[in-house]
Amino acid sequence: MLRQVKPEKLDTLDPKDPDAIASRRDLIRINQLMGNFRWFESIFCQQCVARHHCLELGAGCGELAKRIIHKGCCATYTAVDRAPAPDDWPHTAYWWRGDLFQYAGYATAEVLLANLVLHHFKDSALREIGQKIAKSSIHKIVANEPCRRPIHQWQLAAGKLIGFNEVTLHDGAISIDAGFRGDELPHLLGLNPDIWYWKIDET
């Protein structure tokens, strides 16, 4: 499967649109089914020997952020997303609403978190994100992205049985087609192998 990046419906919907609300709710369920939040806690929080300034791209509903903040894994936390901050967003953290390419705070970040967001971008846009990382103080990246395999399309289709929204099913299929295999992501970001060490698991 060659990587294909296409527009997703959720990105075009108003955050208050019923389909957008339903799809974001589905995304929380998908993260729970996949164990993504637990994975971030096990990979990030348990290895956190020093508390840093964390930057999360595409924070969505803020569920991952709230868990990481609650565990005290970061000294400060900034979340970036096009959607507004959730009503229960912690007052100790910062939410920046807008396009992540327009965010001006990369330079001060030390740890970058990305959960199911980097696959949205074409190769050239990923390279731009990588350039922002290269000019920043970021020294650790923890990313969880779709794996581009046919089996995951079949698994997604089973979401109909538990009531996934039409937008979720449409966007999920596109997300898998835009996912990554092997070490494609660090190479697309343009990470310098003389500076960066990376470890990739496909599950």
Side-chain angles (χ1 to χ4, degrees), residues 39-41 43-58 64-65 68-69 72-80 94 103 105-115 118 129 132-144 189 191 196:
W39 179 82
F40 271 93
E41 290 172 342
I43 294 294
F44 176 60
C45 290
Q46 292 184 14
Q47 296 179 2
C48 191
V49 295
R51 298 172 71 239
H52 299 295
H53 173 43
C54 298
L55 170 64
E56 182 185 354
L57 301 181
L64 172 62
I68 297 293
I69 293 167
C73 300
C74 298
T76 54
Y77 200 102
T78 297
V80 174
Y94 180 61
Y103 178 64
Y106 287 89
T108 59
E110 296 170 293
V111 177
L112 182 71
L113 303 178
N115 183 41
L118 297 177
I129 293 173
K132 292 180 181 294
I133 292 171
K135 296 175 182 177
S136 74
S137 299
I138 294 170
H139 61 267
K140 186 179 185 70
I141 301 170
V142 186
N144 175 56
L189 289 171
L191 300 183
W196 288 87

Side-chain angles (χ1 to χ4, degrees), residues 25 61 73 163 182:
R25 184 168 59 242
C61 296
C73 300

